[in-house]
Amino acid sequence: MTKKDHGPKGNHSLSQATIASSSAQTAGAVAQKTSQAGAVTSPEGMVVTDPPPYPDYPRYRVEPGRSIRLDKLDPGETEHYRAKPDVKAELDRQRQRIGELQARLYADHRQSLLIVLQAIDTGGKDGTIQQVFRGVNPQGCQVWSFKAPGVEELDHDFLWRYHQRTPPRGMITIFNRSHYEDVLVVRVKGLLPEDVWRRRYHVINEFEHALTLTNTVVLKFFLHISKDEQKRRLQSRLDDPNKRWKFSRNDLTERALWDDYQEAFEDAINQCSTEHAPWYVVPSNKKWYRNLVIARTIADTLQAMDPRYPPADPGLTDIVIPD
Ligand code: AMP
Ligand code: MG
C-alpha cells in the first residue's frame, strides 16, 4: 500500500508546531483497495484501508501523538478571507461536492461516514449542521443529538447508546455531541470518579478503530471559540426573541467552568486524535469560516473514500420497456 507524507499547505497553516501534517493515502491507493473490496456483501468481509482514507488536507488536523494547546490556537483565524462574502462561492462549491459525493456513497452502499461535532455551549454545532449539509439528500443523512443519558442508558456501558446510532452502510451520520461527553461533562461536573472516565480514552480509541475496520470513516470536529465570543453569543440569545428559547440558565453555570472545559477538551483531543479517527480543531469565532473549513474537510474526506456508482447489470442496453 502506498503511503505519502504531506506537508502543511500554504503559508497560513495554523500553528505548524502544534498541528502538523499527517500521512494520508493517495486516492489511487484507496481506489485500488476499494476495487479489491469488489462484490462482498457484508462489511465484515470487506478489505478495508487501515487507517482509512483521509484527504491530503492536513490543516487543522491534530497529528496523532502530538499535543495541542487550545490557548495557542487562534479561534478567530480566517486565512486570507476577511468577510462572509469572500467565502460564499467557495462554500457553495464545497456543498455541491458533498451533495454529489454523498449520492455516490449512498448508491455504492459499502462505506459510511460518521461526523462528530463537539464544542462548548454556543460553539455552533447546530449552525454547522444547518449550513454545511444543505446540499445533502436527507434520505442519505442522519443527525443524532445526545442529551444527558436516561435511566436505561445509564444501566449500560457508556458507548451503548452511541453504538446503536453509528451510520449504516451508505449513510452520513452526524453526532451533535457524542461519546466524548462521557470524558467532558462527566469529568468537569465530577459525575464519575477519575479512574472511571480516564479509562474511557482508550475505550473510545478502540471503539473508533473498530468502526473504521468495518468501513465507517470517523471525522471529529472541535469547534473552537473564545470566551469573549461565547459571551457575545449568549447575549444575542437573550436579546433576540427568536433565540431566547435556546438560552438556559445552566449555560452560565457551565460558562463559569470555562477553564475546566478547555482542559477536558484538550485532553480528549490529545488522547483521542488517532490515525484511525483524527480530530480537527476548527477556528469557529467566524461562523462563515468554520462552515468553509468543515465543508472542505468533509468533501475532501468523501473524495478520498472514492465512492462509486455500482456497475449496471450487464445487458441493460438491450432492454426494451414494454408499452
Ligand atoms: P443541549 O445540547 O444544549 O441541548 O444540551 C444537552 C445537555 O446534555 C448538555 O448540558 C450536555 O452537557 C448534556 N449531556 C450530553 N451528553 C451527556 C452525557 N453523556 N452525560 C451527561 N450529560 C450529558
Ligand atoms: Mg444548550
Side-chain angles (χ1 to χ4, degrees):
M1 190 185 309
T2 18
K3 275 200 171 189
K4 212 166 111 190
D5 285 315
H6 303 283
K9 284 180 177 173
N11 55 10
H12 39 251
S13 285
L14 200 159
S15 183
Q16 294 187 11
T18 46
I19 292 190
S21 67
S22 179
S23 65
Q25 287 160 333
T26 60
V30 172
Q32 200 187 345
K33 276 286 176 192
T34 310
S35 64
Q36 283 169 16
V40 290
T41 51
S42 100
E44 297 287 354
M46 290 181 73
V47 177
V48 298
T49 56
D50 182 21
Y54 290 100
D56 174 13
Y57 176 65
R59 192 180 302 134
Y60 305 129
R61 182 166 51 212
V62 177
E63 178 158 16
R66 296 277 186 98
S67 282
I68 54 114
R69 290 258 315 266
L70 286 175
D71 63 357
K72 296 272 186 269
L73 303 180
D74 177 10
E77 117 112 293
T78 57
E79 295 173 56
H80 56 281
Y81 304 105
R82 278 188 289 174
K84 188 172 177 179
D86 298 347
V87 303
K88 187 180 181 309
E90 182 60 15
L91 181 57
D92 283 346
R93 195 175 75 82
Q94 299 301 342
R95 284 191 188 119
Q96 199 178 346
R97 284 179 72 209
I98 293 172
E100 285 166 11
L101 287 159
Q102 184 256 336
R104 286 172 185 266
L105 186 80
Y106 187 82
D108 196 9
H109 200 69
R110 292 188 301 152
Q111 309 179 75
S112 60
L113 178 63
L114 173 62
I115 297 168
V116 169
L117 296 179
Q118 285 290 163
I120 203 101
D121 289 322
T122 76
K125 302 184 297 298
D126 297 342
T128 299
I129 295 167
Q130 203 175 46
Q131 301 293 322
V132 170
F133 295 92
R134 275 194 196 168
V136 168
N137 180 347
Q139 198 155 232
C141 185
Q142 303 171 325
V143 184
W144 297 106
S145 298
F146 294 98
K147 312 288 180 186
V151 176
E152 194 187 10
E153 291 169 335
L154 286 171
D155 277 348
H156 286 85
D157 72 279
F158 80 101
L159 289 176
W160 182 72
R161 66 172 180 160
Y162 308 103
H163 203 169
Q164 292 174 78
R165 293 174 171 83
T166 54
R169 280 183 282 163
M171 283 283 179
I172 297 179
T173 291
I174 302 158
F175 279 4
N176 181 351
R177 300 187 192 267
S178 68
H179 44 294
Y180 282 93
E181 290 296 335
D182 298 81
V183 290
L184 293 167
V185 61
V186 167
R187 165 180 173 167
V188 172
K189 294 293 195 71
L191 303 180
L192 288 171
E194 176 166 353
D195 63 328
V196 174
W197 57 255
R198 202 162 272 290
R199 280 199 297 265
R200 291 180 170 176
Y201 298 126
H202 174 70
V203 176
I204 288 173
N205 288 341
E206 295 289 311
F207 169 59
E208 292 174 352
H209 189 187
L211 292 178
T212 66
L213 291 176
T214 47
N215 268 4
T216 297
V217 171
V218 184
L219 265 186
K220 303 179 298 200
F221 296 106
F222 171 65
L223 316 183
H224 183 35
I225 62 166
S226 64
K227 198 172 179 187
D228 285 350
E229 180 61 21
Q230 188 192 49
K231 184 174 182 184
R232 275 191 288 279
R233 293 185 186 186
L234 285 171
Q235 188 62 50
S236 86
R237 285 184 181 182
L238 283 175
D239 295 345
D240 181 345
N242 294 336
K243 287 189 190 164
R244 261 174 222 154
W245 67 273
K246 271 200 153 192
F247 186 87
S248 143
R249 275 171 218 278
N250 184 51
D251 292 344
L252 299 184
T253 320
E254 301 289 306
R255 178 170 165 80
L257 299 167
W258 179 274
D259 291 343
D260 295 341
Y261 270 108
Q262 294 298 301
E263 199 186 340
F265 276 117
E266 210 168 76
D267 277 349
I269 291 165
N270 288 333
Q271 297 287 330
C272 301
S273 198
T274 59
E275 249 192 311
H276 310 101
W279 269 104
Y280 292 79
V281 176
V282 182
S284 298
N285 273 6
K286 294 282 183 259
K287 296 172 183 174
W288 47 266
Y289 184 66
R290 168 203 76 199
N291 293 340
L292 178 68
V293 170
I294 294 178
R296 257 186 336 207
T297 310
I298 293 171
D300 287 356
T301 300
L302 283 168
Q303 190 172 324
M305 289 165 74
D306 193 26
R308 293 161 183 224
Y309 288 116
D313 281 347
L316 279 191
T317 45
D318 301 334
I319 289 182
V320 178
I321 309 286
D323 291 334

